[in-house]
DNA sequence: CACTCTATTGACACTTTTTCAATAACGCCA
DNA sequence: TGGCGTTATTGAAAAAGTGTCAATAGAGTG
Protein backbone atom coordinates (compact mmCIF):
# COMPACT_ATOMS: atom_id res chain seq x y z
CA UNK A 1 0.00 0.00 0.00
CA UNK A 2 2.85 2.36 0.74
CA UNK A 3 5.66 2.49 -1.76
CA UNK A 4 4.11 1.43 -5.03
CA UNK A 5 6.66 3.59 -6.82
CA UNK A 6 10.03 2.29 -7.88
CA UNK A 7 12.80 2.04 -5.37
CA UNK A 8 13.46 5.17 -3.43
CA UNK A 9 11.42 8.28 -2.91
CA UNK A 10 13.52 11.25 -2.09
CA UNK A 11 11.83 13.97 -0.10
CA UNK A 12 13.06 17.19 1.41
CA UNK A 13 14.14 16.76 5.02
CA UNK A 14 11.18 18.85 6.18
CA UNK A 15 8.65 16.76 4.31
CA UNK A 16 10.14 13.52 5.51
CA UNK A 17 10.28 14.70 9.11
CA UNK A 18 6.65 15.75 8.89
CA UNK A 19 5.64 12.45 7.39
CA UNK A 20 7.41 10.44 10.04
CA UNK A 21 6.12 12.48 12.94
CA UNK A 22 2.56 12.43 11.69
CA UNK A 23 2.73 8.73 11.13
CA UNK A 24 4.25 8.31 14.58
CA UNK A 25 1.40 10.16 16.25
CA UNK A 26 -1.14 8.18 14.29
CA UNK A 27 0.44 4.84 15.14
CA UNK A 28 0.90 5.71 18.78
CA UNK A 29 -2.83 6.23 19.16
CA UNK A 30 -3.49 2.52 18.78
CA UNK A 31 -0.53 1.00 20.58
CA UNK A 32 1.72 1.70 23.52
CA UNK A 33 5.05 3.48 23.27
CA UNK A 34 7.18 0.39 23.40
CA UNK A 35 5.06 -1.32 20.81
CA UNK A 36 5.96 1.54 18.50
CA UNK A 37 9.14 -0.07 17.22
CA UNK A 38 11.51 1.40 14.68
CA UNK A 39 10.84 -1.61 12.51
CA UNK A 40 7.11 -1.04 12.47
CA UNK A 41 7.39 2.60 11.73
CA UNK A 42 9.93 2.13 8.96
CA UNK A 43 7.74 -0.47 7.33
CA UNK A 44 4.59 1.64 7.58
CA UNK A 45 6.41 4.64 6.17
CA UNK A 46 7.95 2.56 3.41
CA UNK A 47 11.50 3.54 4.27
CA UNK A 48 14.56 1.85 5.69
CA UNK A 49 15.26 1.80 9.40
CA UNK A 50 18.46 3.66 8.76
CA UNK A 51 16.55 6.71 7.65
CA UNK A 52 14.78 6.98 10.97
CA UNK A 53 18.08 7.03 12.75
CA UNK A 54 19.27 9.66 10.34
CA UNK A 55 16.41 11.91 11.33
CA UNK A 56 15.97 11.08 14.99
CA UNK A 57 19.21 9.69 16.42
CA UNK A 58 17.55 6.91 18.43
CA UNK A 59 14.27 5.43 19.49
CA UNK A 60 13.88 7.55 22.60
CA UNK A 61 14.49 10.75 20.74
CA UNK A 62 11.99 9.72 18.15
CA UNK A 63 9.38 9.01 20.79
CA UNK A 64 10.08 12.35 22.37
CA UNK A 65 9.68 14.11 19.05
CA UNK A 66 6.37 12.36 18.42
CA UNK A 67 5.00 13.30 21.81
CA UNK A 68 6.22 16.85 21.47
CA UNK A 69 4.47 17.11 18.16
CA UNK A 70 1.20 15.92 19.64
CA UNK A 71 1.55 18.45 22.43
CA UNK A 72 2.38 21.33 20.11
CA UNK A 73 -0.54 20.45 17.94
CA UNK A 74 -2.87 20.50 20.92
CA UNK A 75 -1.67 23.89 22.09
CA UNK A 76 -1.71 25.39 18.66
CA UNK A 77 -5.09 24.16 17.56
CA UNK A 78 -6.83 24.92 20.81
CA UNK A 79 -8.44 28.28 20.45
CA UNK A 80 -6.74 31.12 22.29
CA UNK A 81 -8.77 32.73 25.05
CA UNK A 82 -11.34 35.29 24.12
CA UNK A 83 -12.58 38.08 26.32
CA UNK A 84 -15.89 38.38 28.10
CA UNK A 85 -16.94 37.62 31.61
CA UNK A 86 -15.06 34.86 33.48
CA UNK A 87 -17.54 31.99 33.40
CA UNK A 88 -18.28 32.56 29.73
CA UNK A 89 -14.57 32.48 28.96
CA UNK A 90 -14.15 29.32 30.95
CA UNK A 91 -16.91 27.69 28.93
CA UNK A 92 -15.33 28.82 25.69
CA UNK A 93 -11.97 27.41 26.67
CA UNK A 94 -13.48 24.13 27.71
CA UNK A 95 -15.43 23.92 24.48
CA UNK A 96 -12.30 24.51 22.44
CA UNK A 97 -10.51 21.82 24.38
CA UNK A 98 -13.36 19.36 24.04
CA UNK A 99 -13.67 19.96 20.32
CA UNK A 100 -9.98 19.47 19.89
CA UNK A 101 -10.10 16.11 21.63
CA UNK A 102 -13.09 15.07 19.53
CA UNK A 103 -11.41 16.09 16.28
CA UNK A 104 -7.99 14.76 17.14
CA UNK A 105 -8.82 11.81 19.24
CA UNK A 106 -5.81 9.85 18.07
CA UNK A 107 -3.24 12.53 18.63
CA UNK A 108 -4.60 13.40 22.00
CA UNK A 109 -4.70 9.80 23.13
CA UNK A 110 -1.10 9.43 22.05
CA UNK A 111 -0.11 12.39 24.10
CA UNK A 112 -1.89 11.32 27.25
CA UNK A 113 -0.75 7.73 27.10
CA UNK A 114 2.85 8.51 26.35
CA UNK A 115 3.00 11.10 29.08
CA UNK A 116 1.52 8.88 31.75
CA UNK A 117 3.78 5.94 31.11
CA UNK A 118 6.89 7.64 29.88
CA UNK A 119 10.06 8.98 31.39
CA UNK A 120 10.72 12.36 32.95
CA UNK A 121 11.20 14.12 29.63
CA UNK A 122 7.95 12.86 28.19
CA UNK A 123 6.07 13.85 31.28
CA UNK A 124 7.55 17.30 31.15
CA UNK A 125 6.35 17.76 27.62
CA UNK A 126 2.90 16.76 28.71
CA UNK A 127 2.98 18.95 31.81
CA UNK A 128 3.97 21.85 29.66
CA UNK A 129 0.97 21.37 27.44
CA UNK A 130 -1.30 20.95 30.43
CA UNK A 131 0.05 24.04 32.13
CA UNK A 132 -0.55 25.92 28.97
CA UNK A 133 -4.18 24.83 28.96
CA UNK A 134 -4.64 25.32 32.67
CA UNK A 135 -2.93 28.63 32.38
CA UNK A 136 -5.60 29.77 29.99
CA UNK A 137 -8.42 28.28 31.94
CA UNK A 138 -7.31 29.03 35.46
CA UNK A 139 -5.16 32.11 35.41
CA UNK A 140 -6.59 33.96 32.48
CA UNK A 141 -10.14 32.81 32.13
CA UNK A 142 -11.33 32.53 35.65
CA UNK A 143 -8.85 33.81 38.16
CA UNK A 144 -9.15 36.94 40.19
CA UNK A 145 -12.83 36.79 39.74
CA UNK A 146 -13.79 33.28 40.64
CA UNK A 147 -10.78 31.75 42.31
CA UNK A 148 -8.31 33.12 44.83
CA UNK A 149 -4.90 31.53 44.42
CA UNK A 150 -3.73 29.63 47.50
CA UNK A 151 -1.85 26.33 47.86
CA UNK A 152 -5.15 24.59 48.51
CA UNK A 153 -6.94 26.04 45.50
CA UNK A 154 -3.94 25.32 43.32
CA UNK A 155 -4.18 21.71 44.39
CA UNK A 156 -7.89 21.64 43.71
CA UNK A 157 -7.50 23.16 40.26
CA UNK A 158 -4.93 20.51 39.49
CA UNK A 159 -7.41 17.88 40.55
CA UNK A 160 -10.14 19.56 38.58
CA UNK A 161 -8.13 19.45 35.38
CA UNK A 162 -7.40 15.77 35.89
CA UNK A 163 -11.12 15.31 36.23
CA UNK A 164 -11.82 17.31 33.10
CA UNK A 165 -9.38 15.20 31.17
CA UNK A 166 -10.97 12.01 32.39
CA UNK A 167 -14.48 13.28 31.68
CA UNK A 168 -13.61 14.35 28.17
CA UNK A 169 -11.87 11.10 27.33
CA UNK A 170 -14.65 9.01 28.81
CA UNK A 171 -17.32 11.04 27.11
CA UNK A 172 -15.61 10.90 23.74
CA UNK A 173 -15.23 7.15 24.09
CA UNK A 174 -18.89 6.79 24.99
CA UNK A 175 -21.16 9.83 25.25
CA UNK A 176 -24.15 7.81 26.33
CA UNK A 177 -27.15 10.07 26.78
CA UNK A 178 -25.06 13.02 27.93
CA UNK A 179 -25.02 15.88 25.44
CA UNK A 180 -22.05 18.03 24.59
CA UNK A 181 -23.65 21.01 26.28
CA UNK A 182 -24.43 19.11 29.44
CA UNK A 183 -20.87 17.89 29.64
CA UNK A 184 -19.51 21.39 29.16
CA UNK A 185 -21.84 22.79 31.75
CA UNK A 186 -20.90 20.14 34.29
CA UNK A 187 -17.22 20.73 33.75
CA UNK A 188 -17.49 24.47 33.97
CA UNK A 189 -19.77 24.46 36.99
CA UNK A 190 -17.50 21.97 38.72
CA UNK A 191 -14.70 24.42 39.13
CA UNK A 192 -16.45 26.92 41.39
CA UNK A 193 -18.28 24.10 43.13
CA UNK A 194 -14.99 22.47 44.02
CA UNK A 195 -13.40 25.69 45.13
CA UNK A 196 -16.25 26.30 47.53
CA UNK A 197 -15.44 23.03 49.20
CA UNK A 198 -11.92 24.13 50.13
CA UNK A 199 -11.77 24.97 53.86
CA UNK A 200 -11.61 28.67 54.54
CA UNK A 201 -12.57 29.39 51.00
CA UNK A 202 -16.31 29.61 51.08
CA UNK A 203 -17.31 33.09 50.01
CA UNK A 204 -20.59 34.34 51.41
CA UNK B 1 23.71 -11.74 47.90
CA UNK B 2 21.25 -14.11 46.32
CA UNK B 3 22.38 -17.62 45.58
CA UNK B 4 25.14 -18.28 48.06
CA UNK B 5 24.21 -21.97 47.98
CA UNK B 6 25.61 -24.41 45.48
CA UNK B 7 24.29 -24.54 41.99
CA UNK B 8 20.54 -24.80 41.66
CA UNK B 9 17.77 -24.25 44.11
CA UNK B 10 14.67 -26.14 43.28
CA UNK B 11 11.43 -24.69 44.59
CA UNK B 12 7.84 -25.66 44.17
CA UNK B 13 6.17 -23.88 41.25
CA UNK B 14 4.03 -21.87 43.65
CA UNK B 15 6.95 -20.65 45.71
CA UNK B 16 8.94 -19.71 42.66
CA UNK B 17 6.04 -17.86 41.11
CA UNK B 18 5.51 -15.94 44.32
CA UNK B 19 9.17 -15.10 44.58
CA UNK B 20 9.36 -13.83 41.02
CA UNK B 21 6.19 -11.77 41.22
CA UNK B 22 7.14 -10.21 44.53
CA UNK B 23 10.55 -9.38 43.22
CA UNK B 24 8.99 -7.98 40.07
CA UNK B 25 6.74 -5.64 42.01
CA UNK B 26 9.63 -4.56 44.20
CA UNK B 27 11.85 -3.83 41.23
CA UNK B 28 9.08 -2.05 39.40
CA UNK B 29 8.88 0.48 42.22
CA UNK B 30 12.19 2.00 41.22
CA UNK B 31 12.14 1.71 37.46
CA UNK B 32 9.72 1.77 34.57
CA UNK B 33 8.20 -1.30 32.96
CA UNK B 34 10.50 -1.41 29.99
CA UNK B 35 13.51 -0.98 32.20
CA UNK B 36 12.40 -4.14 33.97
CA UNK B 37 14.26 -6.51 31.69
CA UNK B 38 14.27 -10.27 31.89
CA UNK B 39 18.00 -10.12 32.35
CA UNK B 40 17.76 -7.88 35.37
CA UNK B 41 15.07 -9.88 37.00
CA UNK B 42 16.79 -13.19 36.41
CA UNK B 43 19.98 -11.87 37.89
CA UNK B 44 18.28 -10.36 40.93
CA UNK B 45 16.39 -13.58 41.52
CA UNK B 46 19.50 -15.67 41.04
CA UNK B 47 17.98 -17.83 38.34
CA UNK B 48 18.45 -18.33 34.63
CA UNK B 49 16.48 -16.35 32.09
CA UNK B 50 15.01 -19.57 30.81
CA UNK B 51 13.15 -20.15 34.04
CA UNK B 52 11.25 -16.92 33.70
CA UNK B 53 10.02 -18.03 30.33
CA UNK B 54 9.02 -21.33 31.80
CA UNK B 55 6.79 -19.57 34.31
CA UNK B 56 5.55 -16.60 32.32
CA UNK B 57 5.72 -17.38 28.62
CA UNK B 58 7.13 -14.03 27.59
CA UNK B 59 8.07 -10.61 28.82
CA UNK B 60 4.66 -9.09 28.23
CA UNK B 61 2.91 -11.79 30.16
CA UNK B 62 5.35 -11.38 32.98
CA UNK B 63 4.76 -7.64 33.08
CA UNK B 64 1.06 -8.25 33.05
CA UNK B 65 1.35 -10.65 35.97
CA UNK B 66 3.43 -8.17 37.93
CA UNK B 67 0.99 -5.34 37.38
CA UNK B 68 -1.91 -7.58 38.25
CA UNK B 69 -0.20 -8.52 41.46
CA UNK B 70 0.42 -4.90 42.35
CA UNK B 71 -3.22 -4.12 41.68
CA UNK B 72 -4.39 -7.02 43.81
CA UNK B 73 -2.13 -5.84 46.57
CA UNK B 74 -3.68 -2.40 46.44
CA UNK B 75 -7.18 -3.75 46.62
CA UNK B 76 -6.38 -6.18 49.36
CA UNK B 77 -4.47 -3.83 51.59
CA UNK B 78 -6.94 -1.03 51.28
CA UNK B 79 -9.23 -1.36 54.23
CA UNK B 80 -12.62 -2.86 53.46
CA UNK B 81 -15.57 -0.59 54.11
CA UNK B 82 -16.82 -0.25 57.65
CA UNK B 83 -20.34 0.61 58.63
CA UNK B 84 -21.68 3.88 59.86
CA UNK B 85 -23.35 6.73 58.09
CA UNK B 86 -22.47 7.31 54.43
CA UNK B 87 -20.21 10.36 54.63
CA UNK B 88 -18.25 8.86 57.51
CA UNK B 89 -17.74 5.68 55.51
CA UNK B 90 -16.63 7.66 52.48
CA UNK B 91 -14.06 9.43 54.64
CA UNK B 92 -12.82 6.12 56.02
CA UNK B 93 -12.40 4.66 52.57
CA UNK B 94 -10.58 7.70 51.32
CA UNK B 95 -8.30 7.65 54.34
CA UNK B 96 -7.45 4.01 53.75
CA UNK B 97 -6.66 4.76 50.14
CA UNK B 98 -4.55 7.77 51.00
CA UNK B 99 -2.60 5.88 53.62
CA UNK B 100 -1.96 3.08 51.21
CA UNK B 101 -0.52 5.47 48.66
CA UNK B 102 1.61 7.13 51.33
CA UNK B 103 2.99 3.80 52.51
CA UNK B 104 3.55 2.41 49.03
CA UNK B 105 4.31 5.54 47.13
CA UNK B 106 6.80 4.10 44.70
CA UNK B 107 4.91 0.93 44.08
CA UNK B 108 1.69 2.78 43.52
CA UNK B 109 3.28 5.22 41.14
CA UNK B 110 4.70 2.34 39.19
CA UNK B 111 1.32 0.72 38.97
CA UNK B 112 -0.32 3.87 37.73
CA UNK B 113 2.41 4.63 35.26
CA UNK B 114 2.68 1.11 33.97
CA UNK B 115 -1.05 0.89 33.46
CA UNK B 116 -1.50 4.27 31.88
CA UNK B 117 1.30 3.88 29.40
CA UNK B 118 0.82 0.23 28.67
CA UNK B 119 -1.26 -1.75 26.25
CA UNK B 120 -4.93 -2.55 26.40
CA UNK B 121 -4.52 -5.44 28.80
CA UNK B 122 -2.53 -3.45 31.32
CA UNK B 123 -5.02 -0.67 31.21
CA UNK B 124 -7.81 -3.12 31.82
CA UNK B 125 -6.12 -4.46 34.90
CA UNK B 126 -5.81 -0.96 36.21
CA UNK B 127 -9.39 -0.12 35.34
CA UNK B 128 -10.49 -3.19 37.20
CA UNK B 129 -8.66 -2.09 40.33
CA UNK B 130 -10.08 1.37 40.01
CA UNK B 131 -13.58 0.06 39.55
CA UNK B 132 -13.13 -2.02 42.60
CA UNK B 133 -12.12 1.01 44.62
CA UNK B 134 -14.87 3.11 43.14
CA UNK B 135 -17.25 0.31 43.81
CA UNK B 136 -16.56 0.53 47.48
CA UNK B 137 -16.63 4.25 47.58
CA UNK B 138 -19.52 4.85 45.26
CA UNK B 139 -21.88 1.94 45.48
CA UNK B 140 -21.36 0.81 49.03
CA UNK B 141 -20.27 3.84 50.95
CA UNK B 142 -22.33 6.56 49.49
CA UNK B 143 -24.96 5.29 47.15
CA UNK B 144 -28.63 5.27 47.73
CA UNK B 145 -28.15 7.91 50.29
CA UNK B 146 -26.11 10.58 48.60
CA UNK B 147 -25.97 9.69 44.93
CA UNK B 148 -28.62 8.40 42.54
CA UNK B 149 -27.07 6.28 39.80
CA UNK B 150 -27.62 7.68 36.30
CA UNK B 151 -25.35 7.83 33.24
CA UNK B 152 -24.46 11.40 34.12
CA UNK B 153 -23.60 10.69 37.74
CA UNK B 154 -21.64 7.64 36.71
CA UNK B 155 -19.58 9.86 34.46
CA UNK B 156 -19.11 12.38 37.23
CA UNK B 157 -18.01 9.76 39.74
CA UNK B 158 -15.50 8.54 37.23
CA UNK B 159 -14.18 12.05 36.89
CA UNK B 160 -14.18 12.47 40.63
CA UNK B 161 -12.03 9.41 41.13
CA UNK B 162 -9.54 10.64 38.54
CA UNK B 163 -9.42 13.83 40.55
CA UNK B 164 -8.93 11.97 43.80
CA UNK B 165 -6.05 10.05 42.31
CA UNK B 166 -4.42 13.20 41.04
CA UNK B 167 -4.93 14.99 44.35
CA UNK B 168 -3.48 12.15 46.36
CA UNK B 169 -0.47 11.78 44.11
CA UNK B 170 0.17 15.52 44.03
CA UNK B 171 -0.28 15.87 47.74
CA UNK B 172 2.02 12.96 48.53
CA UNK B 173 4.65 14.42 46.25
CA UNK B 174 4.34 17.81 47.91
CA UNK B 175 1.85 18.35 50.73
CA UNK B 176 2.67 22.03 51.06
CA UNK B 177 0.66 23.58 53.87
CA UNK B 178 -2.33 21.31 53.28
CA UNK B 179 -2.88 18.84 56.11
CA UNK B 180 -3.95 15.25 55.72
CA UNK B 181 -7.32 16.03 57.25
CA UNK B 182 -7.94 19.00 54.99
CA UNK B 183 -7.13 16.91 51.97
CA UNK B 184 -9.45 14.14 53.07
CA UNK B 185 -12.22 16.59 53.78
CA UNK B 186 -11.86 18.27 50.41
CA UNK B 187 -11.94 14.97 48.59
CA UNK B 188 -14.93 13.69 50.50
CA UNK B 189 -16.88 16.92 50.23
CA UNK B 190 -16.12 17.11 46.52
CA UNK B 191 -18.24 14.14 45.67
CA UNK B 192 -21.63 15.52 46.74
CA UNK B 193 -20.61 18.98 45.52
CA UNK B 194 -19.94 17.58 42.06
CA UNK B 195 -23.11 15.58 41.96
CA UNK B 196 -25.12 18.67 42.72
CA UNK B 197 -23.73 20.23 39.61
CA UNK B 198 -25.18 17.54 37.34
CA UNK B 199 -28.24 18.91 35.49
CA UNK B 200 -31.52 17.58 36.82
CA UNK B 201 -29.73 16.22 39.83
CA UNK B 202 -29.97 18.96 42.38
CA UNK B 203 -31.90 17.62 45.34
CA UNK B 204 -33.75 20.37 47.16
C1' DC C 1 22.67 15.88 -20.25
C1' DA C 2 26.23 15.24 -17.18
C1' DC C 3 27.23 16.40 -12.45
C1' DT C 4 26.93 17.37 -7.77
C1' DC C 5 24.76 17.28 -3.49
C1' DT C 6 22.72 14.74 -0.07
C1' DA C 7 18.61 11.81 1.08
C1' DT C 8 18.40 7.10 1.38
C1' DT C 9 19.71 2.40 1.65
C1' DG C 10 21.50 -2.23 3.11
C1' DA C 11 24.57 -4.91 5.31
C1' DC C 12 26.73 -5.57 9.69
C1' DA C 13 27.65 -5.26 14.92
C1' DC C 14 25.51 -5.44 19.22
C1' DT C 15 21.88 -6.05 22.75
C1' DT C 16 17.80 -8.26 24.43
C1' DT C 17 14.25 -11.65 24.00
C1' DT C 18 12.78 -16.42 23.20
C1' DT C 19 13.35 -21.44 22.47
C1' DC C 20 14.41 -26.10 23.82
C1' DA C 21 17.11 -30.27 24.51
C1' DA C 22 19.99 -31.52 28.27
C1' DT C 23 20.72 -31.54 33.28
C1' DA C 24 20.27 -32.25 38.12
C1' DA C 25 17.57 -31.43 42.56
C1' DC C 26 14.21 -33.34 45.41
C1' DG C 27 10.85 -36.75 47.14
C1' DC C 28 9.74 -41.53 47.16
C1' DC C 29 10.08 -46.25 47.69
C1' DA C 30 12.59 -50.37 48.47
C1' DT D 1 20.41 -45.53 52.97
C1' DG D 2 20.65 -45.42 48.30
C1' DG D 3 18.87 -45.80 43.67
C1' DC D 4 15.05 -43.84 40.64
C1' DG D 5 11.66 -41.09 38.33
C1' DT D 6 9.63 -36.73 38.00
C1' DT D 7 10.12 -32.23 36.64
C1' DA D 8 12.25 -27.67 38.01
C1' DT D 9 16.08 -25.60 36.12
C1' DT D 10 19.83 -24.52 33.09
C1' DG D 11 22.79 -22.92 29.10
C1' DA D 12 23.64 -22.49 24.54
C1' DA D 13 22.00 -21.01 20.38
C1' DA D 14 18.21 -18.88 17.34
C1' DA D 15 15.32 -14.85 16.65
C1' DA D 16 14.03 -10.16 17.07
C1' DG D 17 15.11 -5.45 17.79
C1' DT D 18 18.36 -1.44 18.07
C1' DG D 19 22.04 1.34 16.34
C1' DT D 20 26.17 2.43 12.74
C1' DC D 21 28.09 3.70 8.54
C1' DA D 22 30.17 3.44 3.95
C1' DA D 23 28.02 3.00 -0.45
C1' DT D 24 24.14 4.23 -3.57
C1' DA D 25 21.05 6.81 -6.36
C1' DG D 26 17.18 10.72 -6.77
C1' DA D 27 16.46 15.30 -8.13
C1' DG D 28 17.55 19.81 -9.15
C1' DT D 29 21.19 22.79 -11.65
C1' DG D 30 24.26 24.70 -14.83
Amino acid sequence: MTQTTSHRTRLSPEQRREQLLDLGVRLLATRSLDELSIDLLAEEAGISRGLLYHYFGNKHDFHEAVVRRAADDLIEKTAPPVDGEPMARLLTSLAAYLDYVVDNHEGYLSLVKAAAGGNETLREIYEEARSSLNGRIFREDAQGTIIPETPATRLVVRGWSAMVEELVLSWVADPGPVTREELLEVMAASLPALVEVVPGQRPA
Side-chain angles (χ1 to χ4, degrees), chain A residues 38 52-65:
Chain A
I38 298 293
L52 252 144
Y53 286 96
H54 175 65
Y55 280 102
F56 304 97
N58 60 41
K59 200 181 155 191
H60 263 98
D61 287 355
F62 176 63
H63 285 166
E64 188 183 314

Side-chain angles (χ1 to χ4, degrees), chain A residues 7-172:
Chain A
H7 199 48
R8 296 182 177 187
T9 320
R10 185 187 174 125
L11 301 180
S12 74
E14 296 75 39
Q15 282 179 307
R16 184 107 286 163
R17 243 189 107 82
E18 290 302 292
Q19 179 210 357
L20 296 178
L21 287 176
D22 282 349
L23 182 58
V25 171
R26 206 155 66 249
L27 291 181
L28 187 54
T30 54
R31 70 209 81 220
S32 69
L33 258 190
D34 69 287
E35 286 165 345
L36 185 59
S37 68
I38 298 293
D39 261 342
L40 174 68
L41 202 125
E43 181 169 5
E44 287 286 321
I47 59 166
S48 67
R49 280 200 314 284
L51 195 56
L52 252 144
Y53 286 96
H54 175 65
Y55 280 102
F56 304 97
N58 60 41
K59 200 181 155 191
H60 263 98
D61 287 355
F62 176 63
H63 285 166
E64 188 183 314
V66 167
V67 172
R68 179 159 278 135
R69 179 176 197 78
D72 288 348
D73 192 49
L74 165 63
I75 293 175
E76 184 206 322
K77 286 199 186 145
T78 296
V82 287
D83 38 30
E85 59 105 6
M87 275 310 281
R89 290 161 76 190
L90 179 58
L91 256 175
T92 308
S93 287
L94 283 173
Y97 169 64
L98 176 59
D99 292 342
Y100 175 83
V101 176
V102 171
D103 293 344
N104 302 275
H105 196 185
E106 289 187 342
Y108 187 71
L109 250 187
S110 300
L111 173 61
V112 172
K113 276 167 43 179
N119 58 34
E120 204 46 52
T121 312
L122 291 185
R123 232 165 308 125
E124 263 167 36
I125 295 172
Y126 172 72
E127 274 304 326
E128 232 176 84
R130 188 134 138 184
S131 293
S132 176
L133 293 180
N134 281 356
R136 290 175 188 168
I137 292 172
F138 184 36
R139 286 177 207 116
E140 297 179 25
D141 291 352
Q143 197 210 12
T145 322
I146 307 181
I147 308 173
E149 190 161 356
T150 70
T153 55
R154 234 178 285 126
L155 192 63
V156 167
V157 169
R158 208 182 154 73
W160 174 78
S161 68
M163 181 184 79
V164 165
E165 181 169 278
E166 175 72 36
L167 287 178
V168 167
L169 284 175
S170 293
W171 185 81
V172 168

